[in-house]
Amino acid sequence: MPLNQSLKGKEYEWVEFVVERDHILRFADAIGEDGPIFREAEAARAAGYDEQLAPPTFVTTMQIMTSGQAVLDPDLGLDYSRVVHGEQEYEWVRPVRAGETLSAVPRIADIYAKGPNEYLVIESEIRDESGATVVLARSTLLSRGTAAR
């Protein structure tokens, strides 16, 4: 069954996320990142930053939290057993810092077909406490064999 095209542009609920130092360290351990600016506030300050940084792909944890709302939307008609991850993309404004609170609202940016497959593009503009954009996160999921024929 094809995905519901009428949901293009739909926005979901805001998600708030506190960037905890321990979470950054666990994420850095998981991906094998040993750069000092991602592990110690002092090293980040010595490198010209005001606080310990999160590795760039750290925001994937937030993207997963936000995009889940779209993926689980019963009106979308997505059969998750047919899904494979297609692409992950980020447009950075600045690095993520320990201690800040970020928020994002997921949005279905696009749904399109190529051959027998459909592509679901979910975007989340991740913002800091002041409302300034930190990063635009974009995830593309492939729904195998669901395009209209």
Side-chain angles (χ1 to χ4, degrees), residues 76-102:
L76 180 60
L78 182 66
D79 176 356
Y80 204 72
S81 71
R82 296 179 163 274
V83 170
V84 292
H85 186 267
E87 185 174 72
Q88 193 71 39
E89 178 181 355
Y90 303 104
E91 293 178 30
W92 286 98
V93 175
R94 69 160 177 83
V96 170
R97 299 181 297 254
E100 66 182 328
T101 300
L102 303 176

Side-chain angles (χ1 to χ4, degrees), residues 7 10 14 23 34 38 45 53 66 87 89 106 134 136 147 149:
L7 294 186
K10 180 176 180 177
W14 280 93
H23 192 180
D34 59 2
F38 305 117
R45 287 187 195 105
L53 302 182
T66 60
E87 185 174 72
E89 178 181 355
V134 175
L136 176 64
R149 296 175 205 237

Side-chain angles (χ1 to χ4, degrees), residues 1-5 76-78 118 146-149:
M1 178 166 103
L3 300 178
N4 183 349
Q5 293 283 326
L76 180 60
L78 182 66
E118 290 182 285
T146 59
R149 296 175 205 237

Side-chain angles (χ1 to χ4, degrees), residues 26-76:
R26 285 182 285 130
F27 187 86
D29 286 344
I31 65 170
E33 176 58 71
D34 59 2
I37 63 172
F38 305 117
R39 299 192 158 274
E40 304 163 4
E42 299 79 24
R45 287 187 195 105
Y49 300 100
D50 60 348
E51 183 53 84
Q52 174 187 347
L53 302 182
T57 55
F58 179 82
V59 295
T60 303
T61 58
M62 191 168 188
Q63 176 72 7
I64 290 168
M65 290 170 53
T66 60
S67 64
Q69 293 181 67
V71 168
L72 297 174
D73 185 338
D75 293 334
L76 180 60

Side-chain angles (χ1 to χ4, degrees), residues 84-88 112 119-122 138-142:
V84 292
H85 186 267
E87 185 174 72
Q88 193 71 39
Y112 61 93
Y119 294 79
L120 170 65
V121 182
I122 302 169
R138 188 175 296 114
S139 181
T140 302
L141 301 177
L142 172 81

